[in-house]
Amino acid sequence: MTTLSTRARSSAALVLAGVLWGTGGLAGSLLGKLAGLHPLAVAAYRLLVGGGVATLFVLLKGGTLPRTAEAAKRLLAVGALFALFQASYFAAVALSSVSIATMTTIGAAPVVVTLAAVRKLHRWTVVSLAGTLAGLVLLRWSPDEPAHLVGGLGFALLAAAGFAALTLLTAKPVDGLEPLSTTAFGCLAGGLLLTPVASWTGMALPLHADVLAAACYLGAVPTALAYAAYLRGLATAHPVLGALSAVLEPLTAAVLSAAFFGERLSGTAWCGAAVLVAALAVGYWRPEPR
């Protein structure tokens, strides 16, 4: 019963992270439009604000800075991977499109994690991965964006590799370093690494209520809270399940766009959403041995 309860909590944390990430794309797009920021600047603010909010929470709870060399190395690696993932993803968006970059990045990440973490592919793992990829293609497919548009494919695959590496790295705990601390200091490190590049594009942030609200939401909810939930779920879940939970991001974004911006989902997209849910169910309820 304890094992089932632990698995349920881990799954819930991973699902929460995927859903919250789905709101991040809309919040980031809104912040970029309101403040006139380049996507790299939005990514930098996302990590800096998210890291700042999480760090403040850690300190208020009595937490301290990492005191061991192992913890410091872990946070530096996490920060570098955060920066790599965000920068590569937005480069892919600039060179191709949001749909292709998202589909390639989120679709490739579970495959990379599976190949790195699983010695032997079992049938339920293959079914879950195949369903995930098929669902993403159906969900994100548009006749105006043909499959041969691969200008940003390399950066999207690099982003997928960065997310996969982050998943595999943080699945192995470090003594004295909790998931929230990893999120807080890792996001700050990633934001600081991105700031020199993002500053070339301009990072002036208008001090308006709507701009500040969008920046705070982007940093606090789909970044600090989402990554804290993700890393907490990874502590007791298989890395493959963690990567699979990321596919809830484009699914949530598509549903929210339809609900709030009047973007109607086609029959193909709804079929993709159903396939995604089924693939996630297979991955969560039929987990393979470690």
Side-chain angles (χ1 to χ4, degrees):
M1 184 66 66
T2 301
T3 301
L4 292 176
S5 178
T6 300
R7 182 192 302 174
R9 287 195 298 269
S10 299
S11 298
L14 294 175
V15 168
L16 175 64
V19 171
L20 292 181
W21 282 333
T23 70
L26 298 179
S29 178
L30 179 62
L31 176 61
K33 291 180 180 179
L34 291 175
L37 296 175
H38 187 275
L40 281 177
V42 173
Y45 274 121
R46 177 177 187 173
L47 293 177
L48 289 171
V49 175
V53 170
T55 298
L56 179 61
F57 186 78
V58 169
L59 295 178
L60 289 176
K61 287 185 62 178
T64 59
L65 294 173
R67 298 180 178 181
T68 65
E70 185 180 8
K73 291 179 181 178
R74 168 61 62 86
L75 292 177
L76 182 61
V78 169
L81 290 173
F82 269 131
L84 173 66
F85 171 64
Q86 293 289 335
S88 299
Y89 173 73
F90 284 115
V93 170
L95 292 174
S96 56
S97 69
V98 174
S99 296
I100 290 178
T102 302
M103 185 178 69
T104 303
T105 300
I106 301 302
V111 178
V112 176
V113 172
T114 300
L115 294 177
V118 178
R119 295 182 180 181
K120 181 180 179 181
L121 288 178
H122 297 273
R123 64 179 181 275
W124 289 110
T125 301
V126 175
V127 169
S128 184
L129 286 174
T132 297
L133 293 175
L136 282 169
V137 170
L138 293 173
L139 179 69
R140 306 300 302 186
W141 176 258
S142 170
D144 297 327
E145 296 173 343
H148 65 267
L149 185 58
V150 292
L153 182 60
F155 279 109
L157 292 176
L158 184 60
F163 181 81
L166 179 68
T167 297
L168 293 171
L169 179 67
T170 52
K172 301 175 181 178
V174 171
D175 291 337
L177 197 58
E178 298 294 327
L180 183 58
S181 299
T182 302
T183 301
F185 303 129
C187 283
L188 274 181
L192 291 174
L193 290 172
L194 271 183
T195 296
V197 180
S199 61
W200 292 348
T201 67
M203 291 186 65
L205 195 68
L207 299 180
H208 302 309
D210 53 353
V211 174
L212 296 178
C216 289
Y217 178 86
L218 179 63
V221 179
T223 306
L225 181 57
Y227 276 107
Y230 183 70
L231 298 184
R232 182 171 294 279
L234 281 180
T236 51
H238 196 283
V240 174
L241 297 185
L244 284 172
S245 70
V247 304
L248 288 172
E249 177 181 355
L251 176 59
T252 303
V255 173
L256 289 177
S257 295
F260 293 100
F261 296 101
E263 297 181 6
R264 294 184 179 181
L265 295 180
S266 64
T268 301
W270 281 115
C271 288
V275 172
L276 271 179
V277 172
L280 285 173
V282 170
Y284 283 122
W285 298 113
R286 296 302 296 268
E288 302 299 340
R290 290 182 180 271

